[in-house]
Amino acid sequence: MNFLLNLPNNIVFGENTIDGLGEKVKAFGSKCIIVTGKKSTKSSGALDKIISSLKKSKISFFIFDEVKGEPDTEMVDKVRNLAKTEGVEFIIGVGGGSALDVAKAAAGLYNQNLKTLSYLNKEPFEYRGIPFIGIPTTSGTGSEITLNSVLYNKSKGNKNSIAHPRFQSKLSIIDPTLTYSMPDAITAASGMDALTHAIESYTSLAANPITLALAGKAIELIGQNLVKAVDNGLDKDARANMALGSVIAGLAFSQTGVGVAHSISHPLGALFHIPHGVANAILLPVVIEYNDKTCHNRYEEISVLLGGNMKASEQIRKLIKSMPIPKTLLEAGYKKGREKEIVEKTFQSRSLKKNPRPVKEKDVLDIIRECM
Ligand SMILES: [Fe+2]
């Protein structure tokens, strides 16, 4: 048995740990840029807490708050240019996966000369970046600790990843209080993304005993707490356990990769703007049934970890039924007729290689049709 684990440097977890941000980042320098979205980090109070902590520790900062869903490479170029012009020493990403992925790529590519699109198109680069600090305000993407940045690739009309073993954050602060004001629908969708990470990691061809332990714990935590967090966003235990489940799932899948649900959900996001977690939620039960032939035992274990007495796919359908989340691709905004294009783009995904059952074009087509 051989495996390599590439784990993040520092993870700080706990309620109100955000208040210690300033003191913790002093080691990286005295000037930074905060990368975030327009609204939620402001309305939730997360940005104010970050600003106050940085000011207390005399860290100067600039705010880039233009990140939206499905960020493209030009967004990263903007942050890289601003960071260079201002001569910042580290980059803080705060928000959901989009803000964190932009911040991570901007920090990792800080010293590269070409536009970000070149690196998304697989131009090699050496990591000579600056530190990235990840602060999630959702419980789902795991981007605060993963080794890749998912961006919209205009040249291919798809979402792809730039990855580097050293893209991992120097510091991740997982403060569950930052998720308290997350709307129900986002709690549901991001939580289903985290559950899909955990389940696809558990069945990945690259799974090893350590990632199985991590992914299994994440499945348990998310299975027991997702509906509670959706039903009552102020349930502190449910929010803390979801934040924990999400980061543990991130640790697992950053080592193992994911699978065919993620491979299909990226083109669905790129072409129809179906939120990533929603696409995963709809695809997951059908993908489990597809893969069952090759890893039935793993899904039986997952069924136990989820806590119910039905098959894993049935438990997930029941979970989705009880949450404010679209149940079919058509309901989520999919328009019939572009299946071939989705299939083609699905095969550009590296995640397919880690899926436990080999996948052919017809299989992807069948999965999409079943999810409509
Ligand atoms: Fe994901």
Side-chain angles (χ1 to χ4, degrees), residues 193 197 262 276 280:
D193 185 25
H197 294 152
H262 268 79
H276 180 63
N280 279 334

Side-chain angles (χ1 to χ4, degrees), residues 78-220:
K78 263 189 175 180
V79 178
R80 286 172 64 195
N81 289 338
L82 182 61
K84 269 272 176 198
T85 310
E86 299 297 342
V88 305
E89 292 159 284
F90 60 96
I91 298 184
I92 298 176
V94 52
S98 301
L100 299 185
D101 279 356
V102 170
K104 187 191 301 178
L109 299 173
Y110 183 82
N111 285 311
Q112 306 305 318
N113 295 320
L114 301 177
K115 295 215 164 188
T116 304
L117 182 60
S118 304
Y119 304 108
L120 198 61
N121 286 331
K122 307 299 173 213
E123 180 76 24
F125 66 97
E126 265 188 50
Y127 180 90
R128 286 177 290 116
I130 55 174
F132 157 61
I133 287 89
I135 305 174
T137 58
T138 64
S139 296
T141 69
S143 178
E144 66 279 8
I145 44 124
T146 56
L147 312 176
N148 63 314
S149 169
V150 181
L151 298 168
Y152 182 66
N153 187 335
K154 271 192 184 166
S155 68
K156 292 183 178 161
N158 199 4
K159 281 160 73 177
N160 300 113
S161 279
I162 309 178
H164 196 290
R166 293 180 70 180
F167 258 32
Q168 62 181 213
S169 59
K170 290 284 179 211
L171 170 71
S172 308
I173 297 191
I174 323 288
D175 182 341
T177 67
L178 304 184
T179 68
Y180 288 175
S181 61
M182 204 181 0
D184 298 347
I186 297 183
T187 301
S190 56
M192 284 308 298
D193 185 25
L195 184 59
T196 310
H197 294 152
I199 290 179
E200 292 207 300
S201 175
Y202 200 86
T203 57
S204 163
L205 293 177
N208 63 57
I210 294 178
T211 62
L212 284 170
L214 291 166
K217 184 66 188 173
I219 293 167
E220 232 175 26

